[in-house]
Structure formats: structure tokens, C-alpha cells
């Protein structure tokens, strides 16, 4: 049965929206309960109008992107989950810069760049996320980060203003983008160097080959579970405490890559959080290092990964 608040909000939301929509199929982990409301914004105007309504009604919201790097609670999300569609997924070349909407796939942006003979994003081609999600965490792989070619982004602030944020203003760090945490990214721009298409595609194939060889692509996952600790690797520490292959319920530390937790079959969010806490506990007890999670929990009342140190 749809709650009364849901029905009232659905009548006020002008973009396509559904109540009690399952989120598991919309995440790369294939885990999680329903969104109270799933709204699909198609334009900047849709985003502005929806955010004005949610602010007025004091309704919690979450911007989903492509559902990678997330763990959704088994209870789902008690609020509005927002997905970008339409012009918010557009990719184009304008005034020498690649312009990409927040909902565009990073893979599509790298393919577009290669087709234009533009180099600088090749290492991002295997990251299974959106541009917006990639910016929020300064996504990177194999020595490259999305910040490397970033120029500026247009974003919606909590008070309803559209602002332009430059690279220096954002203050990108390792898997972090401090100034983006309280805004909604609408569009971003990138400056790439001219390159030879053959070499660009060759580098992209090299990155894909590395991913196939080193990562468990045959099981649903959210990517790397932990940030890299200073001077070390999460995977090495996990292996050293006997965590590689460890399984709780349907959640498993991948036997192929200890830094990635997979849904080995009907895993629940509770399975994953229990496994994360067990691995963090073992590593802390042996090495005195508290691994920091890279995967973002959504829909939990408190941080589900916390253990007592």
C-alpha cells in the first residue's frame, strides 16, 4: 500500500515518478529495498523544480546515478531517489571542451573522447558509474582520476542557486571532492589533449584487459570496498588476515581481488555490512589500521560499517 505522503508527493512531482520502486536492479551490487519514490529528471528545469518541492516538504532525497559504489539498505530509502535521464545524460564537444551531463556514463564519455581524437580519460573507461558519481568521489583507476582533465561544473546548491565550480574551488583529493558533497551536479566540462585515435583506443583496451584479469566481473559488486590506506593496499591487508574468500550469507570477499566484495547469490545489505565489519575488525586488530570504506551506504539510520576500535 502506498503511504499517504507518497500519494501527495506523486501528485505534485511533474517529472516521471513511481512509488515503491525496487532499487536492487538499479545498483551494480543488485542489493537493496525500494525507494519510497523514484523520480526521473530529464532537464535542469526538472531538477530545480523537484528540489524546490522536496526542500519545501522537507523530504529526504538521494541522487542515484548509475548505482555503482553504493550499498542500499534492505529497507530501501525512505524518501525520493532521483535518476538523471534525457538531456542530463548528454555528451557533446563545445568550444574545445567535452561537456557531459551528470547522468552520462563515464564509459560513454571516454568512447566519445576517443572518437574525437582526444586523450586524457582512457584510464576511466572501465569505471561503471556516471559522470556525477565519478565527480562526487573523484573516481580513478590505473593512475588516472576524473579530476585530471576536469575544468568546471555547474551545480545546484541547497538554497536553489545554480553555481559554477572550478577545479581549484572543489579541492579534489584521493577519492574525495569536498565542495561537491552538498550540491547536485548538473553538467561538467573537461579539457583533453589531441591524440592519435589508434593509441587512445589501444590504451582503453589495455585498461579493459587489466580489469578483466584482476577484477571479479562475473559477480555483482560495488567496486572497491575500501579506500587505499596510506602506503599500502586494502587487498594486501585483507589477504594477510585471512579475509580473501571469506563469506557471510550471500556476501563474499572476492577470491580474485580481496579489495572487492561481491554478491555471490541473494546477498542482503545486512550480509555485506556484517562482512565489512568483520574485515575491518581483523585488519585493525592485526595492523592497527582502520580501513575506510569507499562504498557509500544509502538508506541506513546510522553508519552500518562502524566497529568499536
Amino acid at each position: 500500500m502506498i503511504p499517504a505522503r507518497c500519494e501527495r508527493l506523486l501528485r505534485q512531482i511533474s517529472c516521471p515518478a513511481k512509488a515503491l520502486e525496487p532499487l536492487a536492479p538499479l545498483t551494480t551490487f543488485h542489493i537493496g529495498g525500494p525507494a519510497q519514490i523514484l523520480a526521473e529528471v530529464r532537464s535542469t528545469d526538472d531538477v530545480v523544480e523537484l528540489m524546490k518541492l522536496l526542500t519545501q516538504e522537507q523530504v529526504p532525497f538521494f541522487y542515484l546515478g548509475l548505482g555503482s559504489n553504493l550499498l542500499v539498505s534492505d529497507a530501501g530509502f525512505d524518501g525520493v531517489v532521483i535518476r538523471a535521464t534525457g538531456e542530463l545524460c548528454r555528451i557533446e564537444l563545445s568550444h574545445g571542451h567535452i561537456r557531459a551531463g551528470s547522468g552520462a556514463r563515464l564509459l560513454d564519455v571516454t568512447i566519445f573522447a576517443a572518437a574525437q581524437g582526444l586523450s586524457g580519460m582512457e584510464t576511466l573507461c572501465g569505471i561503471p558509474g556516471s559522470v556525477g558519481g565519478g565527480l562526487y568521489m573523484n573516481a580513478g583507476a590505473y593512475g588516472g582520476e576524473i579530476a585530471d582533465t576536469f575544468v568546471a561544473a555547474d551545480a545546484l546548491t541547497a538554497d536553489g542557486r545554480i553555481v559554477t565550480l572550478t577545479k581549484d574551488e572543489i579541492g579534489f583529493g584521493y577519492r574525495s571532492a569536498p565542495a561537491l558533497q552538498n550540491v547536485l551536479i548538473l553538467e561538467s566540462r573537461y579539457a583533453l589533449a589531441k591524440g592519435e585515435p589508434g593509441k587512445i583506443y589501444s590504451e582503453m583496451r589495455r585498461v579493459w584487459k587489466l580489469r578483466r584479469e584482476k577484477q571479479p566481473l562475473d559477480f555483482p559488486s560495488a567496486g572497491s570496498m575500501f579506500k587505499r590506506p596510506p602506503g599500502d593496499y586494502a587487498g594486501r591487508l585483507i589477504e594477510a588476515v585471512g579475509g580473501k574468500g571469506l563469506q557471510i550469507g550471500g556476501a563474499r570477499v572476492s577470491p580474485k581481488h580481496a579489495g572487492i566484495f561481491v554478491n555471490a547469490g541473494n546477498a542482503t545489505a545486512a550480509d555485506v555490512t556484517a562482512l565489512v565489519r568483520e574485515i575491518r575488525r581483523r585488519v585493525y586488530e592485526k595492523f592497527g589500521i582502520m580501513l575506510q570504506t569507499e562504498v557509500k551506504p544509502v538508506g541506513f539510520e546510522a553508519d552500518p560499517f562502524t566497529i568499536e576500535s
Side-chain angles (χ1 to χ4, degrees):
M1 185 172 179
I2 301 175
R5 183 180 74 160
C6 261
E7 290 186 339
R8 184 165 56 84
L9 276 173
L10 282 171
R11 288 195 296 269
Q12 297 178 79
I13 294 173
S14 59
C15 60
K18 297 178 182 178
L20 305 180
E21 190 72 6
L23 291 176
L26 304 180
T27 73
T28 59
F29 229 153
H30 295 180
I31 293 172
Q36 191 174 78
I37 292 177
L38 176 68
E40 296 191 340
V41 289
R42 303 154 296 187
S43 65
T44 294
D45 288 344
D46 276 355
V47 178
V48 171
E49 186 175 339
L50 179 60
M51 292 310 301
K52 183 178 180 181
L53 172 64
L54 299 183
T55 300
Q56 288 174 345
E57 298 291 332
Q58 297 184 320
V59 177
F61 67 89
F62 178 72
Y63 209 88
L64 181 63
L66 293 178
S68 62
N69 206 57
L70 301 174
L71 177 66
V72 176
S73 162
D74 295 319
F77 185 75
D78 186 21
V80 176
V81 173
I82 305 169
R83 286 186 86 196
T85 63
E87 69 178 51
L88 295 170
C89 298
R90 186 170 54 198
I91 305 167
E92 61 185 12
L93 187 63
S94 176
H95 303 291
H97 289 165
I98 287 181
R99 303 170 68 97
S102 61
R105 291 198 307 166
L106 272 175
L107 172 61
D108 291 342
V109 177
T110 63
I111 291 173
F112 178 85
Q116 307 298 317
L118 296 173
S119 176
M121 284 187 154
E122 292 87 329
T123 59
L124 305 180
C125 71
I127 297 175
S130 66
V131 169
L135 284 171
Y136 278 119
M137 63 170 292
N138 189 19
Y142 304 112
E145 297 175 331
I146 196 170
D148 294 341
T149 56
F150 176 85
V151 175
D154 296 332
L156 181 68
T157 65
D159 58 2
R161 294 177 299 116
I162 295 178
V163 299
T164 298
L165 299 170
T166 65
K167 186 173 183 175
D168 288 342
E169 289 172 324
I170 291 171
F172 287 108
Y174 172 65
R175 301 298 173 266
S176 68
L180 297 180
Q181 301 313 300
N182 297 309
V183 300
L184 287 180
I185 300 166
L186 302 170
E187 180 191 88
S188 51
R189 296 172 286 284
Y190 304 85
L192 281 72
K194 280 288 185 182
E196 183 183 325
K199 291 182 178 179
I200 295 171
Y201 284 118
S202 176
E203 174 63 8
M204 290 170 70
R205 285 193 294 270
R206 184 188 73 86
V207 170
W208 266 105
K209 183 180 178 183
L210 285 173
R211 284 181 62 83
R212 287 195 302 271
E213 291 174 349
K214 297 183 177 182
Q215 297 188 19
L217 302 181
D218 48 344
F219 287 97
S221 81
S224 296
M225 180 57 69
F226 300 107
K227 296 180 181 180
R228 186 177 67 239
D232 214 326
Y233 294 93
R236 187 197 75 81
L237 297 173
I238 293 168
E239 282 194 56
V241 298
K244 196 170 188 178
L246 184 66
Q247 184 162 339
I248 294 179
R252 180 192 302 158
V253 179
S254 170
K256 190 173 185 179
H257 188 312
I260 297 177
F261 291 23
V262 300
N263 181 349
N266 299 314
T268 64
D271 294 338
V272 175
T273 56
L275 186 57
V276 170
R277 291 194 298 271
E278 174 62 15
I279 291 297
R280 293 185 85 196
R281 181 190 64 77
R282 290 189 186 190
V283 171
Y284 184 77
E285 289 179 354
K286 185 175 179 67
F287 296 104
I289 295 172
M290 185 63 74
L291 292 175
Q292 301 302 308
T293 50
E294 188 170 309
V295 170
K296 180 181 177 62
V298 175
F300 296 87
E301 292 184 2
D303 186 346
F305 303 137
T306 299
I307 64 170
E308 294 184 4
S309 60

